[in-house]
Amino acid sequence: MSELLRGEPSWVRHAIFWHVYPLGALDAPATREDADPEAGPDGVAHRLPRLHAWLDHLLEIGCNGLLLGPVFSSYSHGYDTWDHHAVDPRLGTETDLTDLISACHERGIRVGLDGVFNHVGREHPLAKRALERGSATYFEGHTGLVNLDHEDDAVLDLIIDVLRYWSARGVDCWRMDAAYAMAPEVWQRILPAVRAEFPDLYVFGEVIHGDYPAIVESSGFDAVTQYELWKATWSALNDANLYELDHALTRHAKFSETFIAQTFLSNHDVTRIASRLTDPRHLRHAVALLTHLPGTPSIYYGDEDGFTGIKYERLGGDAEIRPPLPANPAELSELGASTRAMYQELVGSRRRHPWLHEAYLETSDLTNTTLAIRLTARDGVGAVTLALNIGDEDARVADRRVAAHGIKIWEETGR
């Protein structure tokens, strides 16, 4: 293993997550005030157990990680937390969650949770205290999201306690929500205490803009989300401007000298990739980039079956990108079968070359519509080239013929 990766748990090299937004995927009511037809006399609806039926599906795609969106007690979308130590009753109980974690571990699946520690809902004790004192501030102007004061030792103690509590119950990974809104140095007062007890935890922060390597270094995160590459992928494909992608790849390669980014094509906050691309023929290009570039990839639930959905900037504008799953994979439409097969093929290529996780990359044959990306193992044993053509005619890319709107992947050892 490269010296580069000494701070990243060894299991992450092989990790590919299936990312699920549970409140949407399991068709929970929009808020705690809405009637819940599945709730029992105790007010709890046991929805989390439904995910057991999807674990084999996750594995069949080629994933080996389950990354869950918010599961803690909250008022509405899960990011307005009321109690970090309790599972949202719209989803179930702590036993439901720990049973799911155990079922994942029995299959070799790692489990990640969404850590929402920048802000909380108005009913959280720390929010109530701030509101009573008149000191409350709000996350991005949303009055339902009260910012936590990270200069307050009580807040830091809470975060440490929550991370320890759920990590002791089997959580392997934490996605730190809205990390871009927190001073990175705050995490240096939190993570060492947690990692002393759970050294195999993988922790990455949600960061959109900024100096990614500096944020990783200052925070102690293993990684941050690679929004630059996400944006360049669909934008370059849509605009027939692979110069934009090449620029992002140059930066991505530089980032990979210091950390391995968390990569994605869709998530619970953005328009799905199948809706974002203007030419459906280029979905294969996007998935090939996700699966072959250095990074720790996540596949947002349903993308592997061609789910569509647009994110709207309005109240309720996330509904399309956070839809319910059917009761089990057998109920998925056959219309998604070809997309699923494509994902399986390209994830399979990643599985055969695990060194792609931290590969060196260099580009060549760059035009508006063609690009070759050569990926080399850090130990020098192994090389793969991914050639892209988004033009209307066949093209020579890295001395290979690539069909119009096609891709070609080959190992250096043969043609």
Side-chain angles (χ1 to χ4, degrees):
M1 184 66 65
S2 166
E3 181 72 7
L4 163 76
L5 300 178
R6 67 182 185 275
E8 181 183 81
S10 59
W11 63 265
V12 178
R13 190 183 199 227
H14 302 276
I16 300 176
F17 287 98
W18 194 53
H19 183 190
V20 176
Y21 177 76
L23 289 166
L26 301 175
D27 203 18
T31 75
R32 294 278 284 276
E33 293 179 341
D34 296 324
D36 190 341
E38 296 187 36
D42 59 357
V44 176
H46 297 276
R47 289 183 168 88
L48 279 176
R50 292 185 202 161
L51 287 177
H52 290 248
W54 290 88
L55 299 183
D56 288 342
H57 172 83
L58 174 164
L59 293 169
E60 287 167 5
I61 302 165
C63 297
N64 61 350
L66 176 63
L67 180 61
L68 295 172
V71 296
F72 302 141
S73 177
S74 69
Y75 174 68
S76 60
H77 44 58
Y79 292 98
D80 46 1
T81 312
W82 285 357
D83 184 351
H84 291 91
H85 291 90
V87 171
D88 196 299
R90 293 172 291 169
L91 295 174
T93 63
E94 179 173 322
T95 298
D96 291 331
L97 179 55
T98 55
D99 284 351
L100 177 61
I101 293 170
S102 295
C104 286
H105 288 171
E106 288 170 4
R107 292 170 169 81
I109 298 169
R110 299 281 183 163
V111 180
L113 294 187
D114 213 335
V116 187
F117 300 118
N118 177 69
H119 49 267
V120 292
R122 296 176 69 91
E123 293 301 311
H124 191 284
L126 290 174
K128 286 183 175 181
R129 187 180 70 174
L131 290 164
E132 290 167 358
R133 293 176 175 176
S135 60
T137 61
Y138 303 102
F139 176 60
E140 297 182 347
H142 299 289
T143 56
L145 303 176
V146 180
N147 286 321
L148 291 172
D149 178 4
H150 299 106
E151 296 301 313
D152 184 346
D153 287 343
V155 171
L156 302 188
D157 289 345
L158 170 70
I159 297 171
I160 291 170
D161 185 62
V162 170
L163 294 175
R164 282 173 167 165
Y165 184 89
W166 292 106
S167 298
R169 283 150 181 79
V171 172
D172 303 290
C173 161
W174 289 91
R175 171 195 178 270
M176 298 308 184
D177 180 68
Y180 59 85
M182 297 172 62
E185 295 78 12
V186 168
W187 292 101
Q188 293 285 7
R189 300 168 62 192
I190 296 169
L191 293 179
V194 180
R195 284 186 165 135
E197 192 171 347
F198 304 99
D200 230 18
L201 275 183
Y202 174 59
V203 181
F204 69 94
E206 181 197 16
V207 175
I208 300 173
H209 309 294
D211 186 340
Y212 290 172
I215 292 169
V216 169
E217 181 178 1
S218 298
S219 64
F221 291 151
D222 294 305
V224 294
T225 50
Q226 227 301 27
Y227 269 90
E228 283 190 16
L229 183 60
W230 162 78
K231 193 270 180 184
T233 297
W234 58 261
S235 179
L237 293 173
N238 283 350
D239 295 345
N241 178 19
L242 293 183
Y243 285 90
E244 179 183 4
L245 178 60
D246 181 70
H247 176 75
L249 289 175
T250 299
R251 287 177 57 80
H252 187 63
K254 186 68 174 176
F255 298 156
S256 297
E257 294 176 6
T258 54
F259 76 98
I260 302 301
Q262 196 278 315
T263 53
F264 60 96
L265 295 175
S266 307
N267 63 32
H268 62 292
D269 280 332
V270 301
T271 292
R272 284 183 179 268
I273 188 64
S275 292
R276 181 71 77 172
L277 292 173
T278 54
D279 189 331
R281 292 174 294 183
H282 298 159
L283 180 59
R284 185 174 179 83
H285 300 64
V287 177
L289 290 166
L290 176 69
T291 53
H292 288 76
L293 293 177
T296 303
S298 61
I299 297 170
Y300 189 51
Y301 79 103
D303 272 9
E304 72 279 6
D305 271 73
F307 281 23
T308 58
I310 296 174
K311 159 86 170 186
Y312 298 97
E313 297 300 329
R314 55 172 169 75
L315 186 64
D318 298 316
E320 283 190 17
I321 62 174
R322 303 174 179 181
L325 283 169
N328 57 67
E331 296 184 13
L332 288 167
S333 169
E334 282 303 309
L335 294 175
S338 61
T339 301
R340 195 180 323 139
M342 181 263 288
Y343 268 85
Q344 289 172 320
E345 173 195 346
L346 294 173
V347 173
S349 177
R350 171 62 169 253
R351 288 288 177 218
R352 291 190 297 276
H353 306 97
W355 50 263
L356 287 169
H357 173 75
E358 72 276 359
Y360 294 117
L361 75 84
E362 55 186 344
T363 62
S364 65
D365 295 72
L366 174 63
T367 70
N368 284 335
T369 56
T370 65
L371 179 64
I373 306 166
R374 186 172 185 269
L375 300 137
T376 308
R378 287 182 179 264
D379 62 5
V381 181
V384 167
T385 297
L386 166 62
L388 309 177
N389 180 12
I390 57 173
D392 291 331
E393 298 181 356
D394 295 358
R396 299 291 294 184
V397 186
D399 201 30
R400 305 291 176 101
R401 175 186 168 278
V402 182
H405 299 283
I407 70 169
K408 182 166 284 189
I409 302 168
W410 65 89
E411 294 188 62
E412 192 172 88
T413 52
R415 299 193 180 192

